[in-house]
Amino acid sequence: MDKEQDVIVAKSAGFCPGVKGAIDKVLELEASGKKPIYTLGPLIHNKQVTDMLAAKQISSVDRPEQAADKSGVLVIRAHGITPAFRAEVMQSGMEVVDATCPLVKHAHDVISTYAQQGYHTIIVGDGGHAEVIGLLGCTLGKGVVVSGPEEAQKLPHFDKVNVVSQTTQKESVFFATAEIIKSKADVCQISNTICHPTKLRQSETMQMAKSAELVIVVGGKHSANTARLALLCKELAPQVLHIETEKELTPEQVIHAKNIFITAGASTPNWVINQVAEWVRQTRKNRGLSFTHFIQKLWAKLVSSSIYSAFAAAALTYVCMKLEGLHFHWPEILFAWFFVYSLTAINRAYDEKPHSFPKIKWTIWYTAAAVALALAALMSWQAFLLTAPLLIAGLLYPSRHFLKSKILSLPGTKDFFTALGWGYACAFLPAFANEMLLRKASYLAVFYAVLLVFMRSVTLGFTSANKDLMVGKESFYKAFGIGKTKLAVMGLLTALTAVLATLLSITWKPGLVAMLLIGNIYTIFVVIYYYSHSASRGIKEETLIDAQFFVLWILAWFSRFI
């Protein structure tokens, strides 16, 4: 649970495991180059997410024959489908990927088991909901859907009946309904198929909404589980707002409430929840602090626009040039700035919604890439020839699926190539341009830069995944999981220390190396903090993670006095 400014964000808010798993599957398909991708019905009832998926050419159809390209992939969404429809889909001739939530599959199995024994099935849920339609298809034609106790009262008598629930149903409604059905049957099997994440979400909501003056429920207006959550809150809190984004809120709605509780449905990503929470907190915090608010917005713009990352790259270049024994030269510093800025901004735009960025921004980004290439040409024609293919490859990385390359679809490639790009700009090219690449110190400086940036990229990927950004297995953390990621980061920290220790052993700039070893303390702090907290990627996270390069730059500058 996250609390600040009398604003509490539910710990259980955000994607449920079933939705998260379905999104991961389609992103893995997209990253591997399998296109187009069609989902049988909207993958998730959240406009912000479906817009992002649409930008990646992931669209929905109701039936296989509606797919324009039969060489594409059909994905069965988390809600599941009926056995009869599944058979039809499997015979469509298209590649089919099943992303049905395991808990929904369990409900299918429970219904099928009892239906085969002659039981009638009563499903407590929303009759028109996709999940309920799938459940109803498993009843062998002996199923009925009721929304609650009132409809259950109208049911006839049954000899044998199995009572199940839509996985996102309100638990109190399910049990109240089951009790009525029990009185109408000779044999009544009560199968509580409400999923555990839903139970946790409802339990936390009931506990926190009672003491809140305002409850904000974040999620799609067409999401059944979000609408049900909002109804639950209206029974407990004096004021409830169901919104999709922070743009639907006004300052007057949030400023005067003594305390605010923010929760969300299972189809709402954490980054949307965080945007709402941040807007509410800043609005309450900055009631009379307009200048402070302006500074915060300006800083957020610098970070989100990749300008901050570009300055971090320039700082790392200064450190690497000092390690390599090079004199300070502006062209190398500026090259790193424009190289990293252009590639980071363009790739970031593709990760979000490329069509939402105006043409002027794309013009600025490609101009920055051209400036980086021109600076390389000023250094030497060899530097130009080395830089041009690397820069083009970086600009084309978002469209890598067209290359059909198995290498580019390997797990962790995004973090790996990001580290190589920074290592080239910040350490390799300065040494190469100054004809000092063959020094042992230069090799170690390049290795040091690559390790440092790879760890930075992996950590940002970890916080992005916590935020439920559209991150696929090209991210190291998503590919290998938290356990292996932690081991990898520990190995990187050890390797970084080993590089500096090697430089000390050859008595190369001992004052500078000693200061950089001190700088490792900050890096270790960042690693420990972010891998022991479930922090989501935001302005603060990017600021602190990239701040390590500025810390190293300051320490490198101070080493001149040692």
Side-chain angles (χ1 to χ4, degrees), residues 3 35 80 83 130 134 155 160 173 184 204 222 235 257 260 266 286 294 344 372 380 401 403 445 450 492 494 528 559:
K3 181 176 180 180
K35 287 196 175 184
L155 291 172
K160 294 193 299 184
V173 171
K184 292 176 172 284
E204 183 183 21
H222 300 293
E235 297 172 6
I260 298 173
N286 296 306
F294 169 76
T344 303
S380 69
H401 53 272
L403 302 176
V450 170
L492 290 172
T494 303
I528 291 174
S559 70

Side-chain angles (χ1 to χ4, degrees), residues 431-450:
F432 178 81
N434 289 277
E435 299 181 353
M436 292 188 179
L437 188 60
L438 297 180
R439 287 185 179 187
K440 185 183 291 185
S442 295
Y443 292 137
L444 290 172
V446 172
F447 190 46
Y448 174 75
V450 170

Side-chain angles (χ1 to χ4, degrees), residues 18-19 22-23 26 37-51 53-54 58-63 66 75-81 85 99 128-131 222-223 267:
V19 169
I23 289 176
V26 296
I37 299 169
Y38 302 99
T39 63
L40 289 168
L43 187 67
I44 179 174
H45 293 136
N46 182 276
K47 186 179 184 301
Q48 291 69 43
V49 176
T50 53
D51 285 349
L53 293 173
I58 300 168
S59 56
S60 70
V61 293
D62 293 326
R63 308 192 67 80
Q66 293 176 345
V75 179
I76 300 173
R77 58 183 175 169
H79 302 90
I81 56 177
F85 189 31
H129 193 274
E131 180 195 325
H222 300 293
S223 167
S267 57

